């Protein structure tokens, strides 16, 4: 058994997602809350300038800046590109980072409850997720393909860990219930690592239900990029609920319904996420999969 040697709790990767930012500020004030005896704990406010401006980012999305080729590219000199290089350097100093675990705290305007975004499909990450699924039966688990190879996400700096998305919550807003639920989840993760490092095993599940992103869908737009429709009222806030072929997806400004044209049932998430309008994403379509745990 190889212990986890370092845990980084990161908030403010997006400067207007206050849940993670204020949790990190709390842990900076009260470091004993995240300290455990068998590993080193650290905190990071990832995009302080964006936070000062109360914006998601200054020049470009920090959470898309961590591909190895971009970290090594001396021509990339935006504020976030430089910040990504600094974060990478800071988090990979010393020896203990090679078995480091990173928890990246985010929030979403979509009605996703508490979602764990799985980092790589390493057995440890899956076992941690399965433990969390036992403790918190309402938790959801989501995966992007991009997490597997040359990931652009901050969470990919360390081999272990996850991102936590909580919502629905507006950008720039705190919600005490989501704050406390996220905080409790962090302590559960830290306690699991502490127990794992001591060789303690937990009863676990045989499979983990994971929502695997298969496709993202943009809003209908005209050639100038102007929206032609909104999320359909029957789909709004229905994250993780099944969407069948022919179900309403968008409603045009003239009141015409546009349906889901796919051939199989899917489970949309990040429905109407505010930060994704500029990314051309109205929702992410997922398939529900049962991952076997070894
Ligand atoms: Zn975010």
């Amino acid at each position: 058994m190889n212990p986890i040697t370092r845990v980084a709790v990161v908030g403010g990767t997006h400067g207007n997602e206050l849940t993670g930012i204020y949790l990190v500020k709390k842990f900076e004030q009260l470091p004993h809350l995240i300290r455990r005896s068998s590993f080193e704990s650290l905190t990071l406010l990832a995009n302080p300038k964006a936070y000062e401006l109360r914006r998601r980012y200054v020049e470009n999305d920090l959470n898309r800046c961590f591909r190895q080729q971009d970290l090594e590219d001396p021509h990339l000199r935006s504020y976030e590109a430089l910040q990504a290089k600094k974060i990478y350097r800071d988090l990979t100093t010393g020896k203990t980072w090679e078995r480091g675990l990173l928890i990246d705290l985010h929030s979403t305007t979509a009605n996703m409850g508490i979602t764990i975004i799985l980092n790589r499909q390493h057995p440890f990450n899956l076992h941690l997720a399965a433990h969390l699924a036992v403790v918190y039966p309402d938790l959801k688990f989501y995966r992007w393909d991009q997490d597997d190879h040359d990931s652009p996400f901050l969470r990919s700096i360390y081999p272990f860990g996850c991102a936590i998305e909580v919502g629905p919550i507006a950008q720039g807003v705190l919600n005490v219930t989501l704050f406390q639920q996220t905080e409790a989840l962090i302590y559960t993760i830290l306690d699991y690592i502490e127990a794992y490092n001591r060789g303690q095993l937990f009863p676990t599940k045989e499979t983990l239900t994971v929502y695997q992103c298969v496709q993202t869908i943009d809003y209908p737009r005209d050639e100038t990029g102007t929206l032609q429709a909104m999320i359909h009222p029957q789909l709004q806030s229905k994250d993780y609920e099944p969407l069948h072929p022919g179900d309403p997806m968008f409603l045009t400004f003239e009141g015409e319904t546009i349906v889901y044209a796919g051939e199989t049932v899917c489970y949309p998430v990040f429905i109407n996420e505010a930060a994704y309008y500029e990314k051309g994403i109205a929702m992410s379509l997922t398939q529900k999969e049962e991952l076997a745990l070894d």
Side-chain angles (χ1 to χ4, degrees), residues 52-168:
E52 259 172 49
L53 299 167
R54 300 296 191 274
R55 289 197 342 225
R56 181 176 174 88
Y57 54 79
V58 181
E59 290 184 75
N60 50 300
D61 191 336
L62 177 63
N63 207 27
R64 301 293 183 274
C65 291
F66 288 88
R67 282 195 185 87
Q68 204 59 42
Q69 71 200 53
D70 293 345
L71 292 169
E72 289 166 9
D73 185 343
H75 303 294
L76 295 179
R77 305 204 53 84
S78 71
Y79 172 73
E80 274 83 10
L82 296 175
Q83 186 66 6
K85 292 171 192 187
K86 179 179 185 308
I87 289 169
Y88 188 82
R89 265 198 319 272
D90 290 350
L91 289 186
T92 57
T93 53
K95 279 210 160 153
T96 58
W97 78 273
E98 287 168 12
R99 289 197 55 84
L101 182 144
L102 196 148
I103 306 170
D104 193 17
L105 303 173
H106 290 262
S107 63
T108 171
T109 62
N111 185 29
M112 289 171 65
I114 305 211
T115 295
I116 300 287
I117 303 190
L118 293 167
N119 210 348
R120 307 160 202 196
Q121 205 165 317
H122 189 284
F124 176 85
N125 287 334
L126 292 181
H127 282 106
L128 167 61
H131 173 69
L132 297 175
V134 171
V135 181
Y136 303 99
D138 292 336
L139 267 192
K140 296 286 195 298
F141 298 87
Y142 174 80
R143 294 186 75 235
W144 293 95
D145 283 340
Q146 287 164 295
D147 267 307
D148 285 339
H149 336 269
D150 201 17
S151 165
F153 302 119
L154 189 150
R155 58 183 174 273
S156 68
I157 296 174
Y158 286 172
F160 307 110
C162 58
I164 301 177
E165 281 283 0
V166 296

